[in-house]
Every structure is written in C-alpha cells, then in structure tokens.
Amino acid sequence: MPGARRTGRTALAGAVCAVLAAGLAGCGADEDPDAGTNGVAKLAPAKIQARARAAAEHAGTVHLTGNVVSKGRTYKLDMSLAENGAKGELTTKAAAFQLLRVGNALYLKADPSFWAGEKSGASGAAQKLGGKYVKVPASDPVYRKFSGFTDKDTLLASLLGLHGKLTAKDRSTVGGVRTVRLAAGAGAGGVLDVSLEGTAYPLRLQRAGDAGVVRFGDWDRRVDLQAPAKDQVVDYGSQISGAH
C-alpha cells in the first residue's frame, strides 16, 4: 500500500505540473513583448524615426560619445551639448583638444603641435597658444571647421540622418535600456537604436558607410557652461595675426 500511495502522489504531482505548464505556456503565448515599454516599437518605421527626431529636437541637452568619420578624418567625440553652447573633447589620430563654446564664443585648448598644424608657418606663435584656451574669431577657418561639433541642432541633424528603406524588427539594449533597432537600407544606410523606455530618445547610431558609431545619453540633463578665466585665455587673432 505505501508503494501505491507513492505512485498516486507521483501521478498527482505530474498532473499538477502538466496543468501549470499548460497555463504558463498559455500566458507566454499571449504575453505582449512591448508590455511596459513606451509602445514606440508598434509604430511604422517612419513614425519611429520621426518620434526619435522630435525627442532629440525638444531635449535641451545631450551627451555624445563615439567616433565620427568626416572628410576622411576620424574624430573621437566626448561632447556635452546644450542650446547655448557645448563643451568636451575631440581626438584625432594626430591630436586631442578641448572645445568650449559659450554663446557665440568658441574656445579651443590644445598643445602647440595642434596649432602649428592648423596654421601653416605659425610654429613660433603656436608655442604661446599651447595649453591655453584660445578664443577663435568667427571669421577664421578654424572656427568654421570645429564649431559644428558644438552646435546641438546642426550636429544631431547630420548624425541622425538615415539613408534607404526603413525597417524596425530587431530589439536590443543600450546601457541596459531596451531599444527598437531602426535600420535603413538593410543596415547599409545606418542603424539607430531608439529607447523603448520613457521618452523615445535615440541611444545609439551606427552611421551609414561605416562612418562611425555614436552613443547618445544624459538627455535633458543640465550642462554647466562658463567662459574660461581671463588668465587662461589667449587672443588668437593678436597672437598669430600674421599666420592667416
């Protein structure tokens, strides 16, 4: 009889497990993969792109990190951008330099070799510029060359461009945040990860043509922008006025 009772209990346990398994399978089949998200993944790809662009445009600030290939040169970015300016660092194969823009005033801080390379024949004057914040006139080519990296709207507009037919099938995570992956031209035209949590911010971009990978973060967090102390600033125009 004990053996019979054990057999009965085993059969009952098996039946309970079968019922539970069937119930769980049923729940799994009906579970919404977008449950708990902002619902962006249910939109058409073009609308996902529009939602991400709008989120980026309405945010006051953003932090960009990654690599961008522009005119054959690779730049490593670590920039915090706001509506009234930006600050951070750019690194190329040849040099690393700090960028700071407050309003229309652009400051660069780099070693003498950077300035000697930017201003042909200015190696002597460049020694005076190294290690200091250099205020660059808006009319100078250096201003035009680097100010775009400090302009939030201009930079985001250029980075967030996708080229080709859009699809949005894959899911991923960026920094632990769930995303929907928006691909253009089967990925050849760029791949953009859009947040499925909270606001539909862009979080990661693989640029078209292997032109770099950029991450976006700290959306709408305050960026403290202040002009450098006067004793840390060199007047670019008066120091190397003969090198233009």
Side-chain angles (χ1 to χ4, degrees):
M1 293 298 293
R5 284 197 295 269
R6 282 196 297 271
T7 301
R9 286 196 297 269
T10 301
L12 178 60
V16 171
C17 289
V19 171
L20 290 175
L24 290 173
C27 290
D30 296 333
E31 184 179 351
D32 182 356
D34 294 317
T37 73
N38 54 23
V40 168
K42 296 181 179 180
L43 301 177
K47 290 188 176 181
I48 296 175
Q49 182 185 34
R51 186 75 63 87
R53 279 183 171 274
E57 290 172 1
H58 293 153
T61 64
V62 64
H63 181 210
L64 300 185
T65 57
N67 300 296
V68 171
V69 180
S70 177
K71 297 180 180 179
R73 179 178 291 187
T74 299
Y75 295 91
K76 181 179 179 181
L77 285 75
D78 188 348
M79 297 293 302
S80 294
L81 299 104
E83 297 293 347
N84 62 329
K87 65 179 181 180
E89 184 174 83
L90 292 185
T91 304
T92 68
K93 185 177 180 180
F97 51 97
Q98 295 179 36
L99 279 176
L100 171 64
R101 183 173 64 82
V102 183
N104 292 323
L106 178 68
Y107 303 89
L108 272 73
K109 186 177 183 180
D111 59 28
S113 63
F114 169 83
W115 291 111
E118 288 296 324
K119 308 299 290 184
S120 177
S123 58
Q127 294 296 325
K128 301 177 182 179
L129 304 179
K132 294 281 190 177
Y133 280 101
V134 177
K135 187 175 182 180
V136 184
S139 60
D140 194 275
V142 172
Y143 189 102
R144 294 192 295 273
K145 183 176 182 179
F146 295 114
S147 62
F149 288 104
T150 69
D151 188 311
K152 171 184 170 288
D153 293 338
T154 298
L155 188 56
L156 287 179
S158 65
L159 288 176
L160 294 176
L162 296 173
H163 310 284
K165 183 179 178 181
L166 296 174
T167 58
K169 296 180 181 179
D170 296 336
R171 307 298 175 85
S172 186
T173 60
V174 175
V177 178
R178 288 177 292 173
T179 65
V180 58
R181 185 158 284 178
L182 192 63
V191 178
L192 180 66
D193 278 278
V194 178
S195 177
L196 288 178
E197 301 178 19
T199 303
Y201 289 124
L203 296 185
R204 182 183 182 275
L205 172 70
Q206 181 177 321
R207 300 185 73 207
D210 294 324
V213 176
V214 180
R215 288 193 177 216
F216 309 85
D218 295 340
W219 290 100
D220 252 344
R221 292 189 182 180
R222 185 174 181 272
V223 176
D224 186 20
L225 296 173
Q226 294 184 1
K230 289 185 178 181
D231 62 355
Q232 292 297 311
V233 178
V234 177
D235 189 323
Y236 178 93
S238 64
Q239 289 294 335
I240 54 175
S241 57
H244 290 255

